[in-house]
Amino acid sequence: MPIVTENDLKKNIESGKMLPVYFIYGNDDGLKKLYASKIRSKIVPEDDCFNFQRFEGDCELQGVYDAVMQFPMMAERKCVVLADYDFEKCGEHNLGRLVSLIEETPDTSTLILWFDTAQVDDKKSSKAKKLFAAVEKAGGITVRLDHRTTADLVRMLCAGAERRGCKMEGSTARYLIETCSADYNILKNELEKLCSFAGAALITREMIDSVCVRSVEASIYNISRELTARNIGKSINMLDELLFLKVKPHVILSVLSSAFIEMYIAKTAADAGVRPADAAAHFGYKGREFVITRALDNSRKMSERQIGLCLSELLLADEKIKSFTCDEQTVLEELMVKLVYIMSEGEKIDKA
């Protein structure tokens, strides 16, 4: 059985025909938590201490096996959750035990394998593929829950605002996603705050700026936007704010580098006549097309050569920070001066 989608999982839960095993992973923590909870609630209440048990990743698999094999008490099924078991780091013996646990799950139990912080590489990991095969053999399903597409999230936010008695336009919803996150849980919480703040009024961008928590990624992307606008003073002020909030310099540099890589992708794609949506799908941004569109907007006044020079400076700054022999804040500030110079003059600062 192939890896199924959110819609397939939703249909299964709505049918009420609960399966022996669910393998849940992906990059949207909120959706994973939501659907693990939906599956559990279809089987037993969370406070049912007889028929619901949860185990964390550092547990002994024998305990999980025993729980799965027990008959339910005064219920049709019991539900067992194994959260974040890092099978990539376990030995062959424990991997074999996990495979046996999955394959032997009886019809009287449902085992939910829920991966939150533990990473699952569904393309390269032989261990992951072995577990997928075991889930299929047991009659279960493997579901990958990644961030919903921007269009889906926009519809969700607009509909959610309407249900709460206020209104949000599509462009404002997109701004909320760009500002905060594409994560379901985060957006849901921010929408609750916005609706409480707005009352029956129209939700605006100004409200988002006032009420919502801007993601670190969005804050760093704002620095890249100010740099491309040649606003060096504002860029450094924003950098100081992030450092004051204890954001690690290597994190800032990493996201800033990503912003310039995305500019290069967007620029070369546009020059080749490739639509932003097609470029987004090809480079792994499917569902997050706004990333490439935003990058294209930021790079309009830059040439490919200028972006290439900026990437070279970002690489040099990365090497300096990793050397541990320099002041990281100074490296970042000097980098920003160099980037603005390149964007203004089209050459490296040391050649001026």
Side-chain angles (χ1 to χ4, degrees), residues 44-57:
V44 291
E46 192 170 7
D47 59 357
D48 186 341
C49 59
F50 295 110
N51 296 307
F52 174 68
Q53 288 176 266
R54 174 177 171 133
F55 296 84
E56 300 301 326

Side-chain angles (χ1 to χ4, degrees), residues 177-182 214-224 242 247 251 255-256 258-259 262 288 290-291 294:
I177 296 164
E178 293 176 23
T179 301
C180 298
S181 176
R214 187 179 295 274
S215 70
V216 170
E217 184 181 80
S219 297
I220 299 171
Y221 269 96
N222 279 349
I223 292 179
S224 71
L242 287 171
V247 179
V251 172
V255 178
L256 194 59
S258 295
E262 287 154 7
R288 301 175 64 237
F290 71 85
V291 172
R294 177 179 59 190

